[in-house]
Amino acid sequence: MNNFSFYNPTKIIFGKGEIAKLDRLIPKTAKILLIYGSGSIKKNGVYEQVKSALGKRKVTEFAGVEPNPFYETCLDALTIIKQKKIDFLLPVGGGSVIDATKFIAAAALYEGKDSWDILEKQVEIKDAMPFGTVLTLPATGSEMNKGAVITKSETKEKLAFHSDKCFPVFSILDPETTYSLPKRQVTNGIVDTFVHVIEQYCTYSVRNQLSDRFAESILITLLEEGSKVGKNPTDYDIKANLMWAATMALNGLIACGQPQDWATHSIGHELTAFYDLDHGVTLSIVLPGVLRIMKKDKLDKLAQLATRVWGYTEGSRAERADKAILAIERFFRTVGAPTHLSDVNLDASCIDPIIERFEQRGWKLGEKGNITPNKVREILMNRL
Ligand code: NZQ
Ligand code: ZN
């Protein structure tokens, strides 16, 4: 097992009707910036619940955070924070709204000249404004982690940053808020959660039994509940299980002592940046390619996955690894996710700009740092 440190200060409040607890979680004197997206919270009753829980507190609204949030949009929020002397941020929405808030929280107290340095130069965040979240889309785990992904629309760069200062103080997870999700976003959430687990599991074995079993339990939950949710979009327990699975998949727990990959995410972020695909869509397309092209390096874990999650006990490790990859693709299709670039109307011409970018950055992807730009090309060619 690898060495690790584990830190997670976010308080989780989970369940029906729990948005009302905002009243106890935020100081009465707080000057709040309520941050949200394009308005889904106004159609599904979440906005009213939040406003009613906040009572007489001073609230300024900042709407219009887009999916795959823009740096430029976050800068607009900074101006309002100064004008209104805001001291607490409250994102209500999915990963995009929460990620934008994390960046805003860090940038608001950043002393350097250009806050893009937080993403491009990965400068250390010394402090950030406090924020709590109300999650409406289980997928990213952003509600209980310290990472955020922001896009500069001007240059089409989608970059991540991480900081211990950017954990939410609290996150409220009410599964009922997810009843209004369109099927496409439910699918995105299942795929994102699934791929988060695989990125932290499907590497090489370090005999880390507990973290492996935690990861497998999340995958099994996703397979079971994910296949039922399509026909039961307002079944509380299905939604609750999916929501908790998404949070647990990327709050640091299953990463403890494990090597990690994240190549699928890095390649996926470029597909989103260049071709505006949903995050989940990029992952269901790229993951099977990463697993196939890097199969030799991942053989033990793929075979273990096949046996423990799908019950395939027959055959060699290589045969079981192939079965696991096929089973993953089958599951993605069952929940309505695309698995090839052609499914989203992209062809081989989409690949060059992505390879160029990895060449410029000099990033070495994968748990062994051996996914070179040429390998990225092989991976994407596998997904045509
Ligand atoms: O704009 P609103 O009104 O909020 O509508 C959103 C948006 O159109 C809608 N939606 C959310 N909750 C809803 C709802 N519609 C109806 N009912 C509800 N209850 O869904 C659409 C997509 O929302 P978005 O927040 O973009 O989706 P998601 O949660 O998948 O977030 C994706 C972003 O998170 C980043 C991704 O790269 C992407 O930018 N990620 C963040 C991570 C992190 N912070 O740890 C890790 C992830 O791997 C990921 O990279
Ligand atoms: Zn993700």
Side-chain angles (χ1 to χ4, degrees):
M1 196 192 298
N2 292 348
N3 292 1
F4 66 90
S5 58
F6 178 57
Y7 170 70
N8 196 313
T10 302
K11 177 174 187 161
I12 296 292
I13 299 98
F14 192 102
K16 271 180 213 187
E18 295 292 61
I19 292 175
K21 295 232 170 95
L22 278 172
D23 187 35
R24 288 193 228 158
L25 293 161
I26 304 181
K28 296 261 190 246
T29 54
K31 294 195 194 71
I32 300 167
L33 187 65
L34 171 60
I35 303 175
Y36 56 96
S38 66
S40 61
I41 63 165
K42 291 209 166 159
K43 292 184 203 132
N44 60 11
V46 172
Y47 176 86
E48 281 78 17
Q49 288 184 60
V50 169
K51 287 290 279 192
S52 133
L54 292 176
K56 295 207 168 85
R57 288 173 182 80
K58 278 195 186 139
V59 180
T60 305
E61 295 189 17
F62 183 76
V65 173
E66 48 287 288
N68 309 303
F70 289 153
Y71 169 69
E72 291 85 346
T73 306
C74 296
L75 295 186
D76 292 342
L78 295 178
T79 314
I80 299 175
I81 287 172
K82 268 202 196 129
Q83 279 169 358
K84 302 275 182 181
K85 298 193 169 46
I86 299 292
D87 56 19
F88 194 90
L89 308 178
L90 181 64
V92 180
S96 293
V97 171
I98 299 174
D99 280 10
T101 302
K102 288 179 180 174
F103 181 76
I104 294 164
L109 304 189
Y110 179 61
E111 286 176 353
K113 263 199 210 138
D114 183 358
S115 58
W116 182 246
D117 289 349
I118 293 172
L119 292 145
E120 192 177 37
K121 299 189 179 151
Q122 300 279 303
V123 295
E124 190 196 343
I125 311 290
K126 300 222 170 75
D127 209 355
M129 286 182 69
F131 64 96
T133 88
V134 176
L135 180 71
T136 63
L137 198 176
T140 63
S142 190
E143 65 280 6
M144 199 182 176
N145 71 37
K146 61 176 181 177
V149 194
I150 302 292
T151 301
K152 199 178 209 176
S153 73
E154 189 198 339
T155 53
K156 293 189 186 292
E157 287 168 281
K158 187 173 188 198
L159 297 172
F161 80 99
H162 299 86
S163 165
D164 277 356
K165 306 287 179 195
C166 288
F167 280 104
V169 178
F170 64 80
S171 283
I172 300 184
L173 281 56
D174 176 347
E176 289 190 333
T177 64
T178 72
Y179 289 175
S180 58
L181 279 169
K183 185 177 177 297
R184 165 177 153 197
Q185 298 302 345
V186 176
T187 297
N188 283 340
I190 293 168
V191 169
D192 199 15
T193 307
F194 195 95
V195 178
H196 291 160
V197 178
I198 295 287
E199 300 262 37
Q200 299 165 90
Y201 175 96
C202 235
T203 56
Y204 51 88
S205 174
V206 291
R207 294 201 56 233
N208 188 344
Q209 296 286 37
L210 189 62
S211 293
D212 277 2
R213 303 263 187 205
F214 281 152
E216 289 151 6
S217 67
I218 297 175
L219 295 177
I220 292 168
T221 304
L222 286 172
L223 292 178
E224 288 177 1
E225 307 299 322
S227 356
K228 288 187 271 185
V229 70
K231 289 201 179 116
N232 306 281
T234 56
D235 181 303
Y236 181 80
D237 291 315
I238 294 176
K239 289 288 186 156
N241 277 292
L242 290 174
M243 201 170 206
W244 189 221
T247 303
M248 291 305 286
L250 198 55
N251 65 1
L253 181 77
I254 67 166
C256 290
Q258 296 283 42
Q260 297 180 47
D261 181 344
W262 299 109
T264 299
H265 270 70
S266 298
I267 301 168
H269 286 341
E270 296 307 329
L271 279 169
T272 299
F274 280 116
Y275 310 111
D276 203 22
L277 300 180
D278 290 354
H279 176 61
V281 165
T282 69
L283 303 177
S284 56
I285 294 173
V286 175
L287 180 73
V290 169
L291 298 181
R292 282 217 172 84
I293 301 301
M294 303 312 293
K295 188 177 114 182
K296 231 167 83 192
D297 287 354
K298 297 175 180 293
L299 203 57
D300 284 341
K301 294 306 280 288
L302 278 168
Q304 177 174 301
L305 180 69
T307 302
R308 291 195 188 166
V309 172
W310 280 280
Y312 297 132
T313 48
E314 307 281 311
S316 65
R317 279 183 313 156
E319 282 163 355
R320 279 181 289 140
D322 285 337
K323 283 187 180 174
I325 300 170
L326 284 174
I328 290 173
E329 275 183 303
R330 202 166 48 238
F331 175 61
F332 287 167
R333 282 195 295 270
T334 307
V335 296
T339 50
H340 290 85
L341 289 163
S342 52
D343 296 336
V344 293
N345 300 319
L346 289 177
D347 58 28
S349 67
C350 80
I351 298 175
D352 275 346
I354 296 174
I355 306 305
E356 237 167 75
R357 210 162 237 185
F358 284 119
E359 277 167 352
Q360 279 162 12
R361 293 206 182 114
W363 289 356
K364 300 254 182 330
L365 307 178
E367 65 273 16
K368 292 186 174 162
N370 59 357
I371 304 187
T372 57
N374 272 341
K375 282 262 179 248
V376 174
R377 185 183 296 283
E378 264 186 75
I379 287 164
L380 289 172
M381 290 299 286
N382 180 271
R383 307 318 299 151
L384 289 176

